[in-house]
Amino acid sequence: MDKRSLRELKIDRELQSLVVPLSRAQYAQLEADVRAGRCREPLLTWRGCILEEYERYEICARHHIEIPVAETAFKCREAVTAWLCAGQLERTDLTEQTRRCLMGIWLEAEKALNREKYGHPKSKETERRIAARAGVAPASVQRYGRYAKALRQMDAVHPGLLSQVLSGKCAQPIQKAVETAKMHIEKRSASVKDMPAHDPDATLTGLALTAPSWAGSIRRVRERADMPAVSPAAKVRLAAALEELQNEIASILSVIEEDPDGLS
């Protein structure tokens, strides 16, 4: 256990997307249990980031309830990802699409760990082990691995897609996901061939063009959202995302300001 305050903990958006949010009924029951002192197990973290139980964290922070915090000993992100996926698959309230996606992400994480440890992904052995744990055929796990890999490739083009699929907000059939990802890769390869000479301003110019849309989105939420009706879990997720965005903005501004000609 350590003595960290809840305010010192961080949220890793990628890891959080692997944890399916509780339903309203589950959230209400959890809040009642927390306030009654029935949930005193340590909140697990990795490198200061919460690993799961985001709703318990939010409830405790909102009611100023301090709970124990325990840092895990995972060596890398892939190990955390595999552990989270395995744990989530123990739940009985997941959609079939979410289960398939989690199995695929778990497989890809385990293969990455095997490459690091053995120099080989050990695909077949890993597929059999995950299949035994999840109660499916190894061939299905292999297919879900392709599904997860395709979704990650699509997420790079359409950020947030993977988390929407995991949460059940977006249906994405396996074959369609794989075909769409392949199309994106082919388009990207073609665009690289036709790419003009390097423009050092291009990255910053692109960000400058994109940033106003963030401000517009935030403004629309502020003006249109019915905040009293929004669940506390949704509020804490947005607050964490905005805090992460704020930190990144502060970071890039400091880099620009360090350049003597940056703001001239």
Side-chain angles (χ1 to χ4, degrees), residues 176-212:
K176 181 181 177 183
V178 172
E179 289 172 356
T180 304
K182 183 179 179 183
M183 180 184 69
H184 283 314
I185 292 170
E186 289 171 350
K187 276 186 178 178
R188 195 156 57 236
S189 299
S191 66
V192 168
K193 291 177 184 175
D194 300 331
M195 191 176 292
H198 174 63
D199 178 2
D201 291 352
T203 304
L204 270 66
T205 300
L207 184 58
L209 292 171
T210 305

Coordinates of all heavy atoms in Angstrom, one line a residue, residues 176-212:
K176 N -16.0 -6.6 -42.0 CA -16.0 -5.2 -42.5 C -14.8 -4.5 -41.9 O -14.2 -3.7 -42.6 CB -17.3 -4.6 -42.1 CG -17.4 -3.1 -42.6 CD -18.7 -2.5 -42.1 CE -18.8 -1.0 -42.5 NZ -20.0 -0.3 -42.0
A177 N -14.5 -4.7 -40.6 CA -13.4 -4.0 -40.0 C -12.1 -4.3 -40.6 O -11.3 -3.5 -40.9 CB -13.3 -4.4 -38.5
V178 N -11.9 -5.6 -40.9 CA -10.6 -6.1 -41.6 C -10.5 -5.5 -43.0 O -9.4 -5.0 -43.3 CB -10.6 -7.6 -41.6 CG1 -9.4 -8.1 -42.4 CG2 -10.5 -8.2 -40.2
E179 N -11.6 -5.5 -43.7 CA -11.6 -4.9 -45.1 C -11.3 -3.4 -45.1 O -10.6 -2.9 -45.9 CB -12.9 -5.3 -45.8 CG -13.0 -6.7 -46.1 CD -14.4 -7.1 -46.7 OE1 -15.3 -6.2 -46.7 OE2 -14.6 -8.2 -47.1
T180 N -12.0 -2.7 -44.1 CA -11.8 -1.3 -44.0 C -10.4 -0.9 -43.7 O -9.8 0.0 -44.2 CB -12.8 -0.7 -43.0 OG1 -14.1 -1.0 -43.4 CG2 -12.7 0.8 -43.0
A181 N -9.8 -1.6 -42.7 CA -8.4 -1.4 -42.3 C -7.5 -1.6 -43.4 O -6.6 -0.8 -43.7 CB -8.1 -2.3 -41.1
K182 N -7.7 -2.6 -44.2 CA -6.9 -2.9 -45.4 C -7.0 -1.8 -46.4 O -5.9 -1.4 -47.0 CB -7.3 -4.2 -46.0 CG -6.4 -4.6 -47.2 CD -6.9 -6.0 -47.8 CE -6.1 -6.4 -49.0 NZ -6.6 -7.6 -49.7
M183 N -8.2 -1.2 -46.6 CA -8.4 -0.1 -47.5 C -7.6 1.1 -47.0 O -6.9 1.8 -47.8 CB -9.8 0.2 -47.6 CG -10.2 1.3 -48.6 SD -11.9 1.7 -48.6 CE -12.1 2.4 -46.9
H184 N -7.7 1.4 -45.7 CA -6.9 2.5 -45.2 C -5.4 2.4 -45.4 O -4.7 3.4 -45.7 CB -7.2 2.7 -43.7 CG -8.6 3.3 -43.4 ND1 -9.1 4.4 -44.0 CD2 -9.5 2.9 -42.5 CE1 -10.3 4.7 -43.6 NE2 -10.6 3.8 -42.6
I185 N -4.9 1.2 -45.2 CA -3.5 0.9 -45.3 C -3.1 1.2 -46.8 O -2.0 1.8 -47.0 CB -3.1 -0.5 -44.9 CG1 -3.3 -0.6 -43.3 CG2 -1.7 -0.8 -45.2 CD1 -3.2 -2.0 -42.8
E186 N -3.9 0.7 -47.7 CA -3.6 0.8 -49.1 C -3.6 2.3 -49.5 O -2.7 2.8 -50.3 CB -4.5 0.0 -50.0 CG -4.3 -1.5 -49.9 CD -5.4 -2.3 -50.5 OE1 -6.5 -1.7 -50.9 OE2 -5.3 -3.5 -50.7
K187 N -4.6 3.0 -49.0 CA -4.6 4.5 -49.3 C -3.4 5.2 -48.7 O -2.9 6.1 -49.4 CB -5.9 5.1 -48.7 CG -7.2 4.9 -49.5 CD -8.3 5.7 -48.8 CE -9.6 5.5 -49.7 NZ -10.7 6.3 -49.0
R188 N -3.0 4.8 -47.5 CA -1.9 5.5 -46.9 C -0.6 5.2 -47.7 O 0.2 6.1 -47.8 CB -1.8 5.0 -45.4 CG -0.9 5.9 -44.6 CD -1.2 5.8 -43.1 NE -1.1 4.5 -42.6 CZ -2.1 3.8 -42.0 NH1 -3.2 4.4 -41.8 NH2 -1.9 2.6 -41.6
S189 N -0.5 4.0 -48.1 CA 0.7 3.6 -48.9 C 0.8 4.4 -50.2 O 1.8 4.9 -50.6 CB 0.7 2.1 -49.2 OG 0.7 1.4 -48.0
A190 N -0.4 4.6 -50.8 CA -0.4 5.3 -52.1 C -0.1 6.8 -51.8 O 0.6 7.4 -52.6 CB -1.8 5.2 -52.7
S191 N -0.6 7.4 -50.7 CA -0.4 8.8 -50.4 C 1.1 9.0 -50.1 O 1.6 10.1 -50.4 CB -1.3 9.2 -49.3 OG -0.9 8.6 -48.1
V192 N 1.8 8.0 -49.5 CA 3.2 8.2 -49.1 C 4.0 8.3 -50.4 O 5.0 9.1 -50.5 CB 3.7 7.0 -48.3 CG1 5.2 7.0 -48.2 CG2 3.1 7.1 -46.9
K193 N 3.6 7.5 -51.4 CA 4.4 7.5 -52.7 C 4.2 8.8 -53.4 O 5.2 9.3 -54.0 CB 3.8 6.4 -53.6 CG 4.1 5.0 -53.2 CD 3.5 4.0 -54.1 CE 3.7 2.5 -53.6 NZ 3.0 1.6 -54.5
D194 N 3.1 9.5 -53.2 CA 2.8 10.8 -53.9 C 3.2 11.9 -53.0 O 2.9 13.1 -53.4 CB 1.3 10.9 -54.3 CG 1.0 9.8 -55.2 OD1 1.8 9.3 -56.0 OD2 -0.2 9.4 -55.2
M195 N 3.8 11.7 -51.9 CA 4.0 12.8 -50.9 C 5.0 13.8 -51.4 O 6.1 13.4 -52.0 CB 4.6 12.2 -49.6 CG 4.6 13.1 -48.4 SD 5.1 12.3 -46.9 CE 3.7 11.3 -46.6
P196 N 4.7 15.1 -51.3 CA 5.7 16.1 -51.8 C 6.9 16.2 -50.8 O 7.0 15.5 -49.8 CB 4.8 17.4 -51.8 CG 3.8 17.1 -50.7 CD 3.5 15.6 -50.8
A197 N 7.8 17.1 -51.2 CA 9.0 17.3 -50.3 C 8.6 17.7 -48.9 O 7.5 18.4 -48.7 CB 9.8 18.4 -50.9
H198 N 9.4 17.4 -48.0 CA 9.1 17.7 -46.6 C 8.9 19.2 -46.3 O 9.7 20.0 -46.7 CB 10.2 17.2 -45.7 CG 10.1 17.5 -44.2 ND1 9.0 17.0 -43.5 CD2 10.8 18.3 -43.4 CE1 9.1 17.5 -42.2 NE2 10.2 18.3 -42.2
D199 N 7.8 19.5 -45.6 CA 7.5 20.8 -45.2 C 7.6 20.9 -43.7 O 6.7 20.3 -42.9 CB 6.1 21.2 -45.6 CG 5.7 22.6 -45.2 OD1 6.5 23.3 -44.6 OD2 4.5 23.0 -45.4
P200 N 8.6 21.6 -43.1 CA 8.7 21.6 -41.6 C 7.6 22.3 -40.9 O 7.4 22.0 -39.7 CB 10.0 22.4 -41.4 CG 10.2 23.2 -42.7 CD 9.6 22.4 -43.8
D201 N 6.8 23.1 -41.6 CA 5.6 23.7 -40.9 C 4.4 22.8 -41.0 O 3.4 23.2 -40.3 CB 5.3 25.0 -41.7 CG 6.3 26.1 -41.5 OD1 7.2 25.8 -40.6 OD2 6.3 27.1 -42.1
A202 N 4.4 21.7 -41.7 CA 3.2 21.0 -42.0 C 2.5 20.5 -40.7 O 1.3 20.6 -40.5 CB 3.5 19.8 -42.9
T203 N 3.3 19.9 -39.8 CA 2.7 19.3 -38.5 C 2.0 20.4 -37.7 O 0.9 20.2 -37.3 CB 3.8 18.7 -37.7 OG1 4.5 17.7 -38.5 CG2 3.2 18.0 -36.5
L204 N 2.7 21.5 -37.5 CA 2.1 22.6 -36.7 C 0.9 23.3 -37.4 O -0.1 23.6 -36.8 CB 3.2 23.7 -36.4 CG 4.0 23.4 -35.1 CD1 4.8 22.2 -35.2 CD2 4.8 24.6 -34.7
T205 N 1.0 23.4 -38.7 CA -0.1 24.0 -39.5 C -1.3 23.1 -39.4 O -2.4 23.6 -39.2 CB 0.3 24.1 -41.0 OG1 1.4 25.0 -41.1 CG2 -0.8 24.7 -41.8
G206 N -1.1 21.8 -39.5 CA -2.2 20.8 -39.3 C -2.9 20.9 -38.0 O -4.1 20.9 -37.9
L207 N -2.1 21.1 -36.9 CA -2.6 21.2 -35.6 C -3.4 22.5 -35.4 O -4.4 22.6 -34.8 CB -1.5 21.1 -34.6 CG -1.9 21.1 -33.1 CD1 -2.9 20.0 -32.8 CD2 -0.7 21.0 -32.2
A208 N -2.8 23.6 -36.0 CA -3.5 24.9 -35.9 C -4.8 24.9 -36.6 O -5.8 25.6 -36.2 CB -2.6 26.0 -36.6
L209 N -5.0 24.1 -37.7 CA -6.2 24.0 -38.4 C -7.2 23.1 -37.6 O -8.5 23.3 -37.7 CB -6.0 23.4 -39.8 CG -5.2 24.3 -40.8 CD1 -4.9 23.6 -42.0 CD2 -6.1 25.6 -41.1
T210 N -6.7 22.2 -36.9 CA -7.6 21.2 -36.2 C -8.1 21.8 -34.8 O -9.2 21.6 -34.4 CB -6.8 19.9 -35.9 OG1 -6.4 19.4 -37.1 CG2 -7.8 18.9 -35.2
A211 N -7.2 22.5 -34.2 CA -7.5 23.0 -32.8 C -8.9 23.7 -32.7 O -9.6 23.5 -31.7 CB -6.4 23.9 -32.3
P212 N -9.2 24.6 -33.6 CA -10.5 25.3 -33.5 C -11.7 24.4 -33.4 O -12.7 24.7 -32.8 CB -10.6 26.2 -34.8 CG -9.1 26.4 -35.1 CD -8.4 25.2 -34.8

